């Protein structure tokens, strides 16, 4: 979600992401915001590019029948 009011790119998950995904998010500059209940970083072209990398990596890690939230 591009939250222009707070100038943040926010990622929401239905539950706690696996440790592997949390590490991936952290390594791409995302931080957990308990206040917003989202993984987020400043909204800019760098964050959009980082999001693309995160999504591509998640797709390569998990198969269609695996749950990226609970892990493998």
């Amino acid at each position: 979600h591009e939250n222009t009011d707070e100038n943040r790119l926010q990622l929401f998950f239905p539950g706690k992401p696996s440790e592997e995904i949390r590490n991936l998010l952290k390594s791409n500059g995302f931080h957990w915001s308990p206040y917003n209940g989202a993984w987020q970083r400043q909204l800019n072209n760098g964050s959009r590019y980082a999001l693309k990398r995160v999504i591509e990596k998640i797709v390569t890690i998990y198969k269609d029948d695996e749950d990226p939230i609970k892990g493998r």
Side-chain angles (χ1 to χ4, degrees):
H1 173 70
E2 290 192 7
N3 185 335
T4 55
D5 292 338
E6 294 192 25
N7 195 34
R8 296 285 180 260
L9 179 62
Q10 298 175 316
L11 301 174
F12 296 92
F13 292 87
K16 184 176 181 179
S18 67
E19 183 177 357
E20 190 172 15
I21 296 222
R22 293 191 313 268
N23 289 335
L24 177 63
L25 292 167
K26 291 175 190 177
S27 70
N28 280 279
F30 289 90
H31 299 275
W32 173 247
S33 169
Y35 178 78
N36 292 311
W39 287 87
Q40 63 184 22
R41 62 178 277 180
Q42 186 174 5
L43 178 58
N44 56 33
N45 287 336
S47 64
R48 291 180 184 105
Y49 182 72
L51 176 60
K52 181 180 176 184
R53 283 194 317 263
V54 166
I55 291 170
E56 289 172 353
K57 182 68 175 174
I58 289 172
V59 168
T60 62
I61 292 171
Y62 296 99
K63 306 291 182 226
D64 293 338
D65 61 341
E66 294 173 332
D67 187 341
I69 303 305
K70 295 179 182 175
R72 297 182 216 202

